[in-house]
């Protein structure tokens, strides 16, 4: 998997789960790149509701979460005039290709996925779907002839599996699937928990004090940054191994202001001013997103998703035709 530059007019695909609150890690690690990659590329973005079901969920939470996540994506700047925005379960081909992906990835590969190990350690009921999750993710990506997948660093292993699945499929059945070549890593690819900076910021963190929600009020943001764990030596230095808390604040401020976190460290001699500037930068970054989020009506979001699914299906159907043909599935009207 390579990172960095994007080929000219590339197909871009990415997804986000609809459950839990959208947080700063999602925004800085992925969503901001989704927005910038709309320029000059063919971008397809998806609310992956089927992925959320790998862990038992309340149906109401899935339904409202899906609409609210689409609302959030529009609020951060996904533009339906330039990109396709849709819900995974609206395009049935995701399931169909996921099954075929399960036949080309191995039990051993799926067993090595660190996210599966983490999540299954924390769950009482470990569904087969949780185990096969990366095969569905591979299908999401490969169904759109994707070249570029903007994600945070935590998805690296899943992307490598998608790439291996495409290569193996092509080896078995002939050149059929596009092998995704690029993984975007940029500033903000790994935003850590404010209370436990050795862990990534996540929806499932034990304490909400460690996670900044995109819908948090300015007061909450200030409070959470003020209470962020640092250390006792008092030196502002970018050193994620030795100084994870301070480095995380520098990464956040750097990503929010498009500045190199190492260079930023030279501007500060104390933690207080670093925290104050970080909170201010976040508030001015997030406030316009909140305003747009609050002004979007459900009907408009649903209409956008409807149109998005139609456009996504067109691409997915043609790729699936190619895939069915390659694996030897006889078309229904083969007899004429
Ligand atoms: P999800 O819903 O957990 O997260 C959505 C995106 O946010 C990024 N992210 C982070 N980036 C930096 N720092 C963090 N602390 C942080 N936490 C989350 C994630 O890397 C992701 O880009 N399996 C995927 C969803 C998915 C998908 C796909 C992604 C399903 N199919 C196809 C790409 C392509 C997931 O659970 O992301």
């Amino acid at each position: 998997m390579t990172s960095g530059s994007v080929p000219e007019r590339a197909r871009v695909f990415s997804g986000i789960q609809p459950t839990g609150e959208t947080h700063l890690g999602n925004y800085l690690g992925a969503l901001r790149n989704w927005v910038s990659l709309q320029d000059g590329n063919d971008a397809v973005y998806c609310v992956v509701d089927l992925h959320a079901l790998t862990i038992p969920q309340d149906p109401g939470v899935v339904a409202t979460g899906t609409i609210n996540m689409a609302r959030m994506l529009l609020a951060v700047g996904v533009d339906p005039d330039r990109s396709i925005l849709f819900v995974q379960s609206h395009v049935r081909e995701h399931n169909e290709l996921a099954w075929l992906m399960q036949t080309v990835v191995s039990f051993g590969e799926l067993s090595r996925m660190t996210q599966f190990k983490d999540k299954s350690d924390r769950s009482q009921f470990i569904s087969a779907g949780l185990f096969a999750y990366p095969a569905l993710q591979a299908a999401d990506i490969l169904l759109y002839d994707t070249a570029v997948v903007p994600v945070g660093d935590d998805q690296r292993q899943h992307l490598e599996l998608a790439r291996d699945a495409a290569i193996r499929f092509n080896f078995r059945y002939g050149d059929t699937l596009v092998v995704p070549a690029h993984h975007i890593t940029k500033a903000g690819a790994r935003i850590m928990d404010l209370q436990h900076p050795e862990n990534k910021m996540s929806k499932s963190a034990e304490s909400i004090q460690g996670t900044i929600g995109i819908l948090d009020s300015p007061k909450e943001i200030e409070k959470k940054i003020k209470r962020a764990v640092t250390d006792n030596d008092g030196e502002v230095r970018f050193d994620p191994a030795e100084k994870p808390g301070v480095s995380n604040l520098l990464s956040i401020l750097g990503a929010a202001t498009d500045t190199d976190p190492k260079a930023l460290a030279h501007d500060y001699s104390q933690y207080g001013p670093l925290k104050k500037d970080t909170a201010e930068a976040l508030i001015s970054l997030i406030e316009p997103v909140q305003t747009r989020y609050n002004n979007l009506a459900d009907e408009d979001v649903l209409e956008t998703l409807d149109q998005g699914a139609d456009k996504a299906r067109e691409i997915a159907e043609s790729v699936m035709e190619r895939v069915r043909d390659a694996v030897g599935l006889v078309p229904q009207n083969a007899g004429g």
Side-chain angles (χ1 to χ4, degrees):
M1 185 77 41
T2 52
S3 62
S5 67
V6 173
E8 220 175 297
R9 199 132 206 119
R11 167 61 47 72
V12 175
F13 180 93
S14 200
I16 185 164
Q17 296 202 50
T19 44
E21 209 189 337
T22 314
H23 57 74
L24 193 63
N26 300 133
Y27 185 52
L28 295 178
L31 303 185
R32 280 201 326 171
N33 295 336
W34 292 22
V35 173
S36 61
L37 282 165
Q38 296 181 112
D39 292 329
N41 294 304
D42 296 317
V44 181
Y45 297 130
C46 183
V47 181
V48 292
D49 54 350
L50 298 173
H51 275 95
L53 303 179
T54 50
I55 288 175
Q57 303 282 358
D58 177 335
V61 171
V62 175
T64 47
T66 299
I67 298 171
N68 286 339
M69 180 53 77
R71 186 196 312 278
M72 177 60 75
L73 296 175
L74 293 168
V76 301
V78 170
D79 172 5
D81 288 335
R82 288 186 293 156
S83 306
I84 298 175
L85 175 64
F86 76 106
V87 176
Q88 186 184 32
S89 64
H90 292 178
V91 178
R92 306 293 151 106
E93 283 76 7
H94 285 255
N95 282 314
E96 189 180 354
L97 188 57
W99 174 255
L100 297 177
M101 286 302 111
Q102 287 188 55
T103 67
V104 293
V105 299
S106 73
F107 179 83
E109 281 170 320
L110 291 174
S111 310
R112 285 192 289 277
M113 294 291 118
T114 55
Q115 287 214 346
F116 171 70
K117 289 191 221 164
D118 286 353
K119 287 193 180 169
S120 55
D121 280 349
R122 282 189 270 129
S123 309
Q124 284 192 323
F125 176 76
I126 304 164
S127 69
L130 185 65
F131 186 66
Y133 179 120
L136 177 58
Q137 182 160 348
D140 299 339
I141 296 166
L142 302 176
L143 198 47
Y144 296 92
D145 286 340
T146 303
V148 177
V149 190
V151 283
D153 198 52
D154 61 337
Q155 295 300 315
R156 184 184 293 269
Q157 201 186 20
H158 287 165
L159 288 201
E160 273 164 13
L161 187 70
R163 199 178 142 81
D164 290 345
I167 293 170
R168 195 167 306 139
F169 187 99
N170 289 345
F171 182 73
R172 262 194 213 170
Y173 299 113
D175 219 5
T176 312
L177 295 170
V178 172
V179 180
H182 291 263
H183 164 170
I184 307 297
T185 35
K186 272 198 179 167
R190 202 165 172 78
I191 301 295
M192 310 309 278
D193 187 286
L194 299 173
Q195 291 299 318
H196 301 279
E198 62 289 354
N199 300 334
K200 68 168 185 178
M201 187 176 283
S202 109
K203 294 170 183 169
S204 51
E206 304 155 22
S207 138
I208 55 161
Q209 294 311 319
T211 304
I212 291 186
I214 301 303
L215 298 177
D216 280 357
S217 68
K219 272 219 158 63
E220 283 170 303
I221 296 176
E222 248 169 45
K223 205 164 86 185
K224 287 179 183 177
I225 294 284
K226 213 176 198 167
R227 291 189 182 164
V229 164
T230 49
D231 52 41
N232 292 328
D233 81 9
E235 190 195 347
V236 179
R237 178 163 48 91
F238 188 74
D239 181 350
E242 293 295 320
K243 297 175 70 71
V246 175
S247 302
N248 190 36
L249 289 172
L250 287 165
S251 293
I252 292 173
L253 179 58
T257 56
D258 273 329
T259 324
D260 175 30
K262 272 193 206 117
L264 267 178
H266 302 305
D267 298 343
Y268 297 93
S269 54
Q270 286 174 316
Y271 297 157
L274 169 64
K275 286 183 167 180
K276 186 168 168 288
D277 286 0
T278 304
E280 272 171 18
L282 285 182
I283 291 164
S284 55
L285 189 72
I286 286 176
E287 260 181 344
V289 175
Q290 295 183 345
T291 307
R292 285 195 293 272
Y293 182 91
N294 292 326
N295 288 333
L296 275 163
D298 270 10
E299 305 83 77
D300 295 336
V301 176
L302 287 168
E303 195 185 321
T304 300
L305 292 175
D306 235 29
Q307 292 167 356
D310 287 343
K311 292 185 208 155
R313 196 173 303 114
E314 233 176 83
I315 306 169
E317 277 175 354
S318 83
V319 174
M320 263 327 286
E321 252 175 56
R322 211 161 73 210
V323 169
R324 285 188 208 110
D325 184 51
V327 299
L329 299 175
V330 176
Q332 195 184 349
N333 61 0

